[in-house]
Amino acid sequence: MNKHTRIDVTEFVKRRFDLMAQMPENSVALIPAGKEVTRSRDTEFLFCQDKDFYYLTGFHEPDALLVLVKSIECESILFCRAKDPEQEVWHGRRVGAEQAESEFNFDVTYELAELEQILPLYINNRDAVLFAQGSNSEFDSLVFACLDILRGAGKQGLTAPKTIIDIRDLIHEMRLIKSPSEIKVMREANEISANAHKRAMQASEQGLFEYQIEADILHEFAYNGARSAAYGSIVAGGENATILHYTDNDEVLMSDELVLIDAGAELAGYAADITRTFPVNGKFTKHQAQLYNLVLAAQEAVIASIKPGSNFAIANDIANTVLTTGLYELGILTGDLKQLIIDKASKQYFIHGIGHWLGLDVHDVGDYQINEDRQQVREFQPGMVLTIEPGLYFDGEANVDENYQGIGIRIEDNILVTEAGYENLSVNAPKTVSDIEAIMKK
Ligand SMILES: [Mn+2]
């Protein structure tokens, strides 16, 4: 078990074999690690590993390259930074090529300094090279330089692959279905995140700044081993909640308003993505509760429908039916109810999709439409993890009762598709009116 991954090294080896099994005969795949990103001058952002590279290696350092060769035998090769006592004193320990081979179970490892010389030899005489062309221009140049060397050395018997294949589709299809050990990590990321939402509810008080609630959330994440949030945390009081990606988090919370918090931890590379909306003072007003219970009813109806064979189009339709009916009953939508549902009238106030895949990335990889023409909505399968997050947003322009103006509500859970239906990974974050009011009672 690797302290950086919480996933056994044998699983990474298996993933590499599963990927190689799908590669064409006599081909080579190249998957680079992430690079450190400058924050300012000589300081860097906290490093985030490239997720495809991480998925296949569990290796946590920047400046590395995974090479997979599918020939008569299959081979996993890693290039990584050399041990360097002087650098390590300043910037932290490095695994080094020798230890990487045994600890991460590669067939061969090299130091990065050998890359230019050795990489062309692994690409030589292959029929195809697979990589994520266009995602990293520096790496594209390196690969093309290797191909040029091979093309220019025909007399020495070297040849360049004739075919370039985008490797992303293969890896991303694998990443879409989570293994038991990935689900375990995601359950834990959700546990930490749900506790952070609970803590935010308990800390909420009028007069606090949004960033003070954010501080509680980030403390809960970091204290439990999730040093990064999976994305910029949203703490949006009052009508800031109607801005979908509000991250300024610098205004004062008012007693009679709701606060929307969209925040999830990243644990061992895996994201949680939870949204809760609650009254700053712990008690819903009648109008707040009306809208809140409507969003909750839509969310619960969608979640109850999640099972293998269902899909995001069905989920969107269920949300639309519940929300449109509720908005009609509240007098916010008027006309013929049946027609309003057909016209998806709720979309005026529910302005985003019902959910997305979740995994190593918060908006995780994997196609939503499949088939040649990408027309068919993909069916849910056991092992997929997705968010269900209906919302309603009244940004003040809409022609609705002033009691509903300036309200933004979203409720988001993380759902694992199982053989029998689903498991709600974020179930521990309170979300009924009575549960929220109970936990917020001073
Ligand atoms: Mn989300």
Side-chain angles (χ1 to χ4, degrees):
M1 199 72 72
N2 176 326
K3 71 171 178 172
H4 297 279
T5 62
R6 302 179 187 217
I7 290 175
D8 196 88
V9 67
T10 54
E11 184 164 334
F12 293 98
V13 173
K14 179 179 180 299
R15 290 174 189 171
R16 296 197 289 268
F17 274 107
D18 288 349
L19 177 58
M20 286 189 276
Q22 300 172 67
M23 288 164 50
E25 293 303 322
N26 194 34
S27 63
V28 58
L30 310 171
I31 302 110
K35 294 192 90 60
E36 284 190 299
V37 180
T38 301
R39 182 169 184 275
S40 181
R41 210 164 131 77
D42 62 350
T43 57
E44 281 97 33
F45 286 105
L46 189 62
F47 176 64
C48 180
Q49 184 58 282
D50 178 89
K51 301 290 188 178
D52 286 341
F53 176 86
Y54 186 76
Y55 180 77
L56 293 166
T57 62
F59 195 69
H60 52 281
E61 291 183 11
D63 302 322
L65 173 67
L66 173 66
V67 179
L68 299 175
V69 176
K70 180 172 182 178
S71 177
I72 298 153
E73 302 221 348
C74 285
E75 227 183 341
S76 284
I77 300 112
L78 184 80
F79 290 85
C80 66
R81 300 184 303 187
K83 293 290 287 177
D84 182 337
E86 197 186 329
Q87 282 290 314
E88 288 179 54
V89 164
W90 283 91
H91 302 294
R93 296 185 188 95
R94 295 177 176 185
V95 173
E98 198 180 317
Q99 201 187 324
E101 188 174 314
S102 53
E103 193 180 322
F104 293 84
N105 228 332
F106 295 106
D107 298 304
V108 189
T109 55
Y110 298 96
E111 293 178 353
L112 265 188
E114 301 173 276
L115 184 69
E116 255 178 66
Q117 260 218 301
I118 292 175
L119 184 58
L121 303 177
Y122 278 113
I123 303 174
N124 177 39
N125 282 329
R126 304 289 164 215
D127 294 328
V129 57
L130 297 88
F131 72 109
Q133 192 182 342
S135 73
N136 173 341
S137 56
E138 202 182 323
F139 187 69
D140 285 355
S141 306
L142 174 76
V143 177
F144 292 136
C146 287
L147 296 179
D148 273 344
I149 289 169
L150 295 173
R151 287 186 196 112
K155 278 191 197 143
Q156 287 94 47
L158 305 186
T159 64
K162 298 270 185 289
T163 308
I164 292 177
I165 298 171
D166 189 340
I167 197 165
R168 279 168 284 206
D169 287 345
L170 296 179
I171 302 174
H172 294 177
E173 285 299 298
M174 292 170 67
R175 281 176 53 185
L176 187 54
I177 307 296
K178 275 67 181 178
S179 72
S181 53
E182 289 181 290
I183 290 165
K184 194 160 168 260
V185 179
M186 293 188 74
R187 218 177 256 131
E188 206 180 328
N190 263 279
E191 188 63 39
I192 294 168
S193 305
N195 283 334
H197 279 268
K198 268 190 215 170
R199 186 167 153 179
M201 289 173 190
Q202 288 167 325
S204 174
E205 220 172 78
Q206 84 146 326
L208 285 178
F209 283 89
E210 293 162 340
Y211 55 72
Q212 292 178 298
I213 300 293
E214 182 184 18
D216 269 303
I217 289 167
L218 295 180
H219 182 275
E220 192 67 26
F221 289 175
Y223 195 81
N224 290 287
R227 285 183 63 206
S228 288
Y231 52 94
S233 305
I234 297 170
V235 180
E239 57 178 8
N240 292 337
T242 64
I243 304 166
L244 293 184
H245 290 161
Y246 175 81
T247 50
D248 288 345
N249 298 357
D250 61 356
E251 291 193 5
V252 174
L253 297 173
M254 309 295 272
S255 175
D256 55 346
E257 291 181 339
L258 296 172
V259 54
L260 181 155
I261 299 181
D262 185 343
E266 180 180 289
L267 184 73
Y270 287 83
D273 182 7
I274 303 176
T275 307
R276 289 293 183 264
T277 310
F278 55 87
V280 170
N281 64 13
K283 188 94 186 104
F284 284 88
T285 66
K286 181 180 137 212
H287 291 94
Q288 287 169 348
Q290 282 172 339
L291 292 180
Y292 185 86
N293 281 325
L294 176 53
V295 177
L296 184 61
Q299 202 228 17
E300 286 179 334
V302 174
I303 291 175
S305 78
I306 301 290
K307 60 181 182 199
S310 190
N311 63 46
F312 274 121
I314 294 171
N316 264 308
D317 281 346
I318 293 170
N320 172 60
T321 301
V322 177
L323 291 174
T324 301
T325 305
L327 291 168
Y328 173 83
E329 285 166 357
L330 291 173
I332 295 171
L333 291 175
T334 53
D336 176 53
L337 178 57
K338 267 193 192 144
Q339 195 57 44
L340 289 169
I341 291 172
I342 292 166
D343 294 343
K344 299 190 193 303
S346 64
K347 280 286 154 197
Q348 193 180 340
Y349 306 109
F350 170 34
I351 47 184
H352 51 78
I354 189 67
H356 52 82
W357 310 130
L358 183 70
L360 282 168
D361 280 295
V362 61
H363 298 151
D364 208 26
V365 294
D367 287 331
Y368 289 85
Q369 270 84 31
I370 51 172
N371 270 10
E372 295 283 275
D373 51 4
R374 309 238 157 182
Q375 287 301 302
Q376 190 187 330
V377 181
R378 169 172 232 143
E379 290 189 350
F380 297 152
Q381 281 171 250
M384 289 178 172
V385 180
L386 48 101
T387 69
I388 295 298
E389 49 178 311
L392 286 175
Y393 309 90
F394 299 94
D395 63 7
E397 313 249 330
N399 182 30
V400 298
D401 187 315
E402 64 173 34
N403 288 300
Y404 301 129
Q405 296 291 3
I407 289 181
I409 295 167
R410 179 165 64 256
I411 309 172
E412 175 176 32
D413 280 310
N414 299 171
I415 307 296
L416 166 69
V417 183
T418 64
E419 294 286 347
Y422 70 91
E423 176 189 335
N424 186 344
L425 302 177
S426 45
V427 72
N428 288 332
K431 68 175 175 180
T432 64
V433 165
S434 58
D435 284 353
I436 289 172
E437 290 185 346
I439 200 174
M440 293 184 73
K441 204 158 195 172
K442 302 258 158 151

